[in-house]
């Protein structure tokens, strides 16, 4: 697809901070960043920034690795009023506070803190989070390539994480994160199934026709709308919100790390494990193997299997037919088969069951 337009110019009235108030965007020089970090006490007065790097391509936020003259490094993450990967899409800056609250809560749990980077500093006014640098960690996006799979040890660790996460109570004042969920809802449950400007045939010739087939399936669309309302609702379970291979890292010493919880909320138990499962299908892992691995997931008594598979289906459809594509290596016929399977899981969902 064509590259997105550049971000809008900095304007204070749009809520974008100027350099004197702490903006650490890519447009700042090292001197400005040094001044900001020293003013916040995150960098010693007699220290300076040696270099700034991008540790990876952030989807939602600006992410920078700061290397001081004194040695070591840390990562700074800032939520700006747009999606970093798609700057023409506005996004609520409060998402960084959700991420902070998530890490703050999860890192108090001994069984989960080992999966998270350590939080060093937080500047709520400017939407900036400083955290431990995980070094040359790599995410698991490579599993979409043919011949690659998520190793069983990491798959087990990921499911173990979800088993533990869902059983810790969300704090009473945990953010609803409704503004970001509404944006996510639009891209998961609405835009892929409406008339849109997505040039799917530029991704793969014939893909547009597969999307049109879904758009004309009114029974499917009705179920998708009902699932969307479930997503926008609330429930008791602590969720990461975007538990897919891009949010999982393999650290330099081989540990699994879980990052980017800005989509977190208290919601239905089925959501996180469904998103993760959908990406196992997108990685071309055999279905029998997926179902075998899912036996490790310890669902609670109110877990709804039909809703779980419907959520799996909607994540598959939006990743194949929406804006937020993942680098799958399917033929068109393979995509058609997976789209049919995902659609069936959705239409089998009965919210009154």
């Amino acid at each position: 697809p064509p590259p997105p337009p550049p971000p809008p110019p900095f304007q204070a009235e749009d809520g974008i901070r100027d350099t004197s108030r702490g903006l650490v965007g890519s447009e700042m020089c090292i001197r400005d960043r040094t001044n900001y970090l020293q003013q916040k006490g995150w960098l010693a007065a007699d220290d300076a920034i040696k270099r700034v790097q991008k540790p990876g391509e952030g989807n939602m936020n600006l992410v920078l690795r700061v290397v001081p003259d004194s040695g070591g490094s840390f990562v700074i993450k800032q939520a700006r009023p747009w999606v970093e990967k798609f700057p023409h899409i506005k996004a609520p800056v409060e998402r960084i506070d959700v991420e902070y609250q998530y890490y703050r809560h999860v890192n108090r749990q001994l069984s989960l803190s080992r999966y998270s980077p350590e939080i060093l500093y937080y500047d709520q006014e400017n939407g900036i989070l400083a955290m431990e640098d995980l070094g040359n960690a790599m995410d698991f996006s490579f599993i979409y390539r043919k011949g690659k799979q998520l190793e069983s040890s990491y798959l087990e660790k990921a499911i173990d994480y979800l088993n533990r996460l869902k059983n810790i109570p969300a704090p009473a004042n945990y953010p609803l994160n409704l503004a970001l969920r509404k944006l996510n809802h639009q891209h998961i449950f609405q835009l892929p199934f409406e008339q849109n400007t997505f040039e799917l045939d530029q991704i793969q010739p014939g893909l547009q026709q597969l999307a049109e087939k879904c758009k004309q399936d009114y029974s499917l669309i009705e179920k998708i709308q009902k699932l969307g309302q479930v997503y926008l609702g609330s429930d008791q379970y602590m969720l990461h919100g975007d538990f897919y291979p891009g949010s999982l890292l393999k650290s330099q010493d081989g540990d699994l790390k879980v990052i980017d919880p800005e989509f977190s909320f208290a919601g239905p138990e089925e959501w996180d494990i469904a998103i993760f499962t959908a990406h196992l299908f997108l990685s071309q892992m055999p279905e029998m193997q997926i179902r075998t691995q899912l036996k490790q997931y310890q669902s609670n008594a109110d877990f709804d299997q039909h809703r779980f598979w419907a959520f799996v289906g909607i994540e598959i459809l939006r990743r194949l037919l929406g804006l937020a594509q993942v680098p799958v290596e399917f033929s068109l016929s393979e995509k058609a088969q997976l789209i049919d399977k995902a659609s069936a899981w959705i239409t089998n969902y009965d919210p009154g069951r």
Side-chain angles (χ1 to χ4, degrees), residues 41 99 116 138 178 212 295 323:
E99 179 158 347
S116 302
M138 61 179 293
L178 193 56
E212 293 302 320
K295 293 177 182 177
L323 183 65

Side-chain angles (χ1 to χ4, degrees), residues 12-56:
E13 61 267 30
D14 289 340
I16 303 173
R17 278 50 170 185
D18 61 26
T19 55
S20 65
R21 298 188 63 195
L23 179 72
V24 295
S26 57
E27 295 77 5
M28 285 181 65
C29 66
I30 285 181
R31 181 193 62 201
D32 293 331
R33 292 178 182 141
T34 298
N35 291 340
Y36 166 74
L37 294 174
Q38 288 176 338
Q39 289 169 10
K40 301 303 293 184
W42 301 358
L43 192 68
D46 59 352
D47 204 352
I49 295 175
K50 184 176 183 179
R51 64 180 180 274
V52 175
Q53 304 168 326
K54 291 186 71 175

Side-chain angles (χ1 to χ4, degrees), residues 340-351:
D340 285 345
K341 181 176 290 188
S343 298
W345 288 331
I346 295 169
T347 53
N348 285 337
Y349 170 63
D350 181 0

Side-chain angles (χ1 to χ4, degrees), residues 35-239:
N35 291 340
Y36 166 74
L37 294 174
Q38 288 176 338
Q39 289 169 10
K40 301 303 293 184
W42 301 358
L43 192 68
D46 59 352
D47 204 352
I49 295 175
K50 184 176 183 179
R51 64 180 180 274
V52 175
Q53 304 168 326
K54 291 186 71 175
E57 292 298 327
N59 285 336
M60 290 297 299
N61 304 298
L62 177 75
V63 183
L64 300 171
R65 173 183 287 124
V66 177
V67 182
D69 284 340
S70 58
S73 61
F74 57 94
V75 168
I76 279 184
K77 187 172 187 178
Q78 184 178 39
R80 304 199 279 185
W82 57 79
V83 177
E84 206 68 27
K85 188 174 181 180
F86 303 104
H88 59 290
I89 299 176
K90 293 182 179 181
V93 295
E94 293 81 10
R95 63 188 184 270
I96 198 73
D97 190 63
V98 175
E99 179 158 347
Y100 171 70
Q101 297 297 338
Y102 179 91
Y103 280 133
R104 185 182 179 195
H105 186 56
V106 166
N107 286 357
R108 290 173 177 157
Q109 316 298 321
L110 291 178
S111 62
L112 287 172
S113 60
R114 61 192 174 96
Y115 291 106
S116 302
E118 181 185 355
I119 299 305
L120 305 176
Y121 313 105
Y122 178 47
D123 177 1
Q124 184 175 22
E125 180 187 6
N126 293 294
I128 299 171
L129 194 60
M131 65 186 76
E132 171 192 4
D133 183 7
L134 297 176
N136 293 322
M138 61 179 293
D139 69 29
F140 287 88
S141 297
F142 65 85
I143 69 171
Y144 302 112
R145 301 201 302 264
K146 283 189 180 293
K148 299 290 185 179
Q149 280 192 8
L150 185 60
E151 297 173 38
S152 59
S153 60
Y154 289 103
L155 200 158
E156 290 167 6
K157 288 177 182 178
I159 295 178
D160 174 69
Y161 183 90
L162 293 182
N163 278 331
R164 296 174 186 275
L165 178 65
K166 66 181 173 57
N167 286 326
I168 63 171
N173 60 345
Y174 196 69
L176 291 175
N177 206 8
L178 193 56
L180 189 58
R181 276 197 285 153
K182 285 181 177 178
L183 176 63
N184 210 29
H185 173 274
Q186 185 180 28
H187 285 271
I188 297 175
F189 300 95
Q190 291 182 316
L191 289 177
F193 311 103
E194 299 174 348
Q195 295 307 314
N196 54 56
T197 58
F198 303 160
E199 298 290 344
L200 296 179
D201 280 349
Q202 291 188 16
I203 298 171
Q204 189 170 24
L207 189 57
Q208 190 69 49
Q209 186 175 354
L210 298 183
E212 293 302 320
K213 179 182 176 183
C214 290
K215 293 174 187 177
Q216 295 168 16
D217 186 337
Y218 300 111
S219 175
L220 174 67
I221 300 303
E222 181 183 10
K223 294 295 178 69
I224 288 172
Q225 291 172 346
K226 291 179 179 179
L227 285 166
Q229 292 308 304
V230 174
Y231 173 73
L232 289 176
S234 59
D235 208 325
Q236 61 181 313
Y237 295 100
M238 185 81 179
L239 299 176

Side-chain angles (χ1 to χ4, degrees), residues 281-282 316 320 330 334-343:
F281 279 95
L282 290 166
I316 289 173
L320 294 179
F330 289 111
E334 288 171 330
K335 284 186 178 179
Q337 291 174 20
L338 188 54
I339 287 170
D340 285 345
K341 181 176 290 188
S343 298

